């Protein structure tokens, strides 16, 4: 089973690329938006931040996890109308159900706001994660059995 954070990242990349195939998506840092770094200013791009925001132990087998996902979108035109349209498109991708890995989680609510000409679409994915438990006991060895038949 792959790490759920990697599965979430891969699912977000796939969904956003399905929406905007030609738009750059950054996950860790944007080194620069100048032409010498490969981008011209201003440009259209996504910046995705994935932050684990809570783990609660249920028992020795399960943990409840929460992951905050913030998708920042910068539109070249920096138009608030374009941001509102893009926010609705992003919302359709992730709500009501966000699929990642072999899971599908319900996204109960999401928030959208525009700050400094950047749209921020945020939501929390909450799910239960099974822990990998090693076998506590040695596996049973082979058993030799001999059957003696008695005839009366």
């Amino acid at each position: 089973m792959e790490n759920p954070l990697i599965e979430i990242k891969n699912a977000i990349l796939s969904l956003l690329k399905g929406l905007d195939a030609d738009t750059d998506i950054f996950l860790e840092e944007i080194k620069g938006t100048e032409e010498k770094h490969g981008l011209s200013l201003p440009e259209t791009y996504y910046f995705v931040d994935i932050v684990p925001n809570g783990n609660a132990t249920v028992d020795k087998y399960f943990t409840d996890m929460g992951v905050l996902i913030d998708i920042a979108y910068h539109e070249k035109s920096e138009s608030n109308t374009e941001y509102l349209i893009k926010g609705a498109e992003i919302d359709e991708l992730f709500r009501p159900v966000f699929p990642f890995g072999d899971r599908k989680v319900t996204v109960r609510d999401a928030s959208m706001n525009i700050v400094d000409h950047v749209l921020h679409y945020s939501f929390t994915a909450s799910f239960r994660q099974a822990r990998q438990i090693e076998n506590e006991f040695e596996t049973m060895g082979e058993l030799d059995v001999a059957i003696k038949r008695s005839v009366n």
Side-chain angles (χ1 to χ4, degrees):
M1 177 185 288
E2 194 169 4
N3 183 311
L5 297 176
I6 302 299
E7 291 176 337
I8 289 171
K9 177 194 74 133
N10 292 340
I12 291 170
L13 288 173
S14 176
L15 290 169
L16 291 177
K17 278 298 182 186
L19 178 64
D20 291 321
D22 297 331
T23 303
D24 289 323
I25 302 171
F26 299 98
L27 289 151
E28 294 183 21
E29 66 178 312
I30 300 174
K31 296 208 183 275
T33 55
E34 297 84 31
E35 283 188 36
K36 67 181 179 181
H37 295 290
L39 295 175
S40 58
L41 187 67
E43 191 60 55
T44 300
Y45 59 87
Y46 290 97
F47 184 84
V48 179
D49 202 9
I50 301 170
V51 181
N53 72 348
N55 292 334
T57 301
V58 176
D59 58 22
K60 80 180 207 176
Y61 302 106
F62 297 103
T63 299
D64 284 342
M65 295 183 68
V67 179
L68 174 66
I69 298 157
D70 179 51
I71 300 169
Y73 174 75
H74 180 264
E75 174 71 38
K76 183 176 186 173
S77 68
E78 295 185 341
S79 161
N80 282 346
T81 303
E82 292 296 321
Y83 285 134
L84 294 174
I85 291 168
K86 185 57 69 176
E89 291 173 353
I90 294 170
D91 191 55
E92 284 183 32
L93 292 177
F94 294 98
R95 285 186 343 112
V97 176
F98 170 48
F100 63 93
D102 60 353
R103 305 169 198 255
K104 292 181 172 85
V105 298
T106 300
V107 177
R108 298 195 192 293
D109 58 6
S111 67
M112 270 189 296
N113 57 4
I114 301 166
V115 179
D116 295 332
H117 303 292
V118 176
L119 167 71
H120 288 272
Y121 180 86
S122 302
F123 65 95
T124 299
S126 300
F127 54 94
R128 184 161 285 175
Q129 176 71 20
R131 293 187 184 167
Q132 297 296 328
I133 304 280
E134 294 297 321
N135 213 354
E136 294 178 24
F137 307 101
E138 287 185 39
T139 55
M140 187 172 129
E142 288 189 28
L143 194 60
D144 290 328
V145 178
I147 299 174
K148 198 177 209 187
R149 229 172 124 174
S150 151
V151 179
N152 288 342

